[in-house]
Amino acid sequence: VTPFIKSLLSTSTQLMRNIKVSDMMLRLSFANAISQFFEAILDYNSSQSSSSNRCITMEQFNPEADAIYECLFVTWLNAARDTDSKVSVLAAVSSTTPFLSSSLLKEKGSGYVLSILQMYKKFSVSLSSCRDITLCLSQLLEVASKSHPASLESILDPLFNTLFQQICIIPDYNKSSSVRNHNEILRCYDTMMRSSPVKLITGLLNKVDNSEERSKCGALTVIRHLLRYLHVPKDQLEQRNHPYSILDT
C-alpha cells in the first residue's frame, strides 16, 4: 500500500475540502485514515537499513501534507465539537506535521505554534487531558527548530511560559494520558534546549532563585531531565561559553 499513498493523499486532499461540517463521521474517518497513511510512511522509512535504499522520502509528500495540515488546522479543528472529534483531528494534525514543507514552516510555523498554545486554554477542559495538544506542539517544534529555528525567536516568551505551566502540573501516574503529556512537555524542552539554550536555562534558573515552591519544583524537574538525557560531555560543560556551563554556577 505504501507506494500508492501519495496518490491516496492527493485524492484525499481534494475530497476533504468538500466534506461538510454536518458530515462529522465522514470527517473522522478521513482524519483517522490520514493518520494511518502518514504513520505508514514513517514506519516504512524506519524499516529501511539506509537512506540510499529508500524509494519513498518524506519530502515527496510536502504538497499533500501542507494542504491537509492547513485544512485540518484551520477548518476542521475549529468545527470539531465533541471530544472524539477533537482528538481525531489533533491526532491527524500530529501525524501530518513531520511532512510539512520548509516553506510552510518558514511562513506560518510560528503562527501555528501560537495557535496550539491557545488550545491549552480553549480545549483542555473538554479534552480532560492536554496530551493530544502537546503531541501536536512537540512535533511542530521539532520540525520548525530544524528547518527555521530563527522563526521561533519572536514567540519564545509565550512558548516557554506555556511549557512551564504544563510542567508544573504533577502527572497522575494512574492515567497514561497524564504521564504521556508530561513526557511530551519534556520532549519540547529537549527540542528548545537545542535551539535556544541560553534563554531557556536562564529562565529556569530564575524560577529556581525567585519563585515559590511549586515553580521551583517545576524548574528543577526540567533541569534534572536535561542533565540526565542530553548527555553533554563534561569537558564541554566546563567551557564557560558553552550554554550548559551556566548549570554549574
Side-chain angles (χ1 to χ4, degrees):
V1 177
T2 306
F4 303 101
I5 286 183
K6 185 172 177 66
S7 297
L8 293 170
L9 288 173
S10 180
T11 302
S12 298
T13 302
Q14 301 301 320
L15 294 174
M16 288 173 65
R17 295 168 180 164
N18 298 318
I19 302 177
K20 298 178 181 179
V21 177
S22 57
D23 295 328
M24 189 54 66
M25 292 305 298
L26 183 57
R27 286 192 172 191
L28 292 183
S29 297
F30 265 83
N32 292 332
I34 292 297
S35 297
Q36 293 180 38
F37 287 156
F38 283 119
E39 288 169 5
I41 301 169
L42 291 176
D43 289 342
Y44 172 84
N45 280 346
S46 64
S47 68
Q48 303 304 300
S49 57
S50 65
S51 58
S52 61
N53 293 332
R54 296 174 185 169
C55 61
I56 296 177
T57 63
M58 295 175 66
E59 289 73 20
Q60 290 176 256
F61 301 92
N62 284 164
E64 293 78 14
D66 288 355
I68 290 172
Y69 190 90
E70 293 205 276
C71 180
L72 291 170
F73 202 101
V74 177
T75 306
W76 285 26
L77 194 54
N78 289 328
R81 293 290 178 259
D82 59 276
T83 300
D84 290 341
S85 300
K86 292 173 183 175
V87 169
S88 294
V89 176
L90 285 170
V93 168
S94 177
S95 298
T96 307
T97 304
F99 297 86
L100 297 180
S101 67
S102 176
S103 58
L104 181 67
L105 290 168
K106 182 178 182 180
E107 180 184 357
K108 300 182 178 180
S110 60
Y112 284 137
V113 171
L114 288 176
S115 295
I116 293 176
L117 296 182
Q118 293 171 3
M119 290 181 196
Y120 283 103
K121 293 182 179 179
K122 186 177 179 181
F123 291 159
S124 59
V125 175
S126 60
L127 290 176
S128 74
S129 170
C130 295
R131 176 197 59 187
D132 299 289
I133 300 173
T134 306
L135 284 170
C136 293
L137 179 61
S138 63
Q139 292 277 16
L140 186 56
L141 290 178
E142 182 75 23
V143 294
S145 63
K146 288 181 179 178
S147 180
H148 297 286
S151 66
L152 299 176
E153 291 181 3
S154 63
I155 61 169
L156 288 180
D157 286 338
L159 173 59
F160 287 160
N161 287 338
T162 301
L163 290 178
F164 193 72
Q165 290 170 8
Q166 287 295 308
I167 204 63
C168 286
I169 300 174
I170 300 174
D172 184 347
Y173 291 99
N174 293 318
K175 297 181 179 179
S176 60
S177 60
S178 178
V179 175
R180 181 71 185 278
N181 182 69
H182 183 79
N183 291 338
E184 287 297 324
I185 289 293
L186 290 175
R187 181 183 173 192
C188 292
Y189 274 110
D190 289 343
T191 300
M192 298 314 300
M193 188 64 182
R194 293 191 293 270
S195 61
S196 304
V198 174
K199 185 175 180 65
L200 174 58
I201 291 299
T202 301
L204 290 173
L205 291 179
N206 286 336
K207 297 287 187 184
V208 173
D209 291 337
N210 305 317
S211 299
E212 43 86 23
E213 195 67 25
R214 183 169 178 266
S215 295
K216 286 183 179 180
C217 291
L220 289 173
T221 296
V222 178
I223 292 173
R224 182 181 63 179
H225 170 79
L226 295 175
L227 287 174
R228 179 181 297 173
Y229 291 105
L230 290 185
H231 303 297
V232 180
K234 185 171 178 58
D235 59 339
Q236 293 185 28
L237 282 172
E238 292 172 348
Q239 297 174 13
R240 291 187 62 186
N241 292 329
H242 192 281
Y244 286 82
S245 64
I246 58 178
L247 292 173
D248 292 335
T249 59

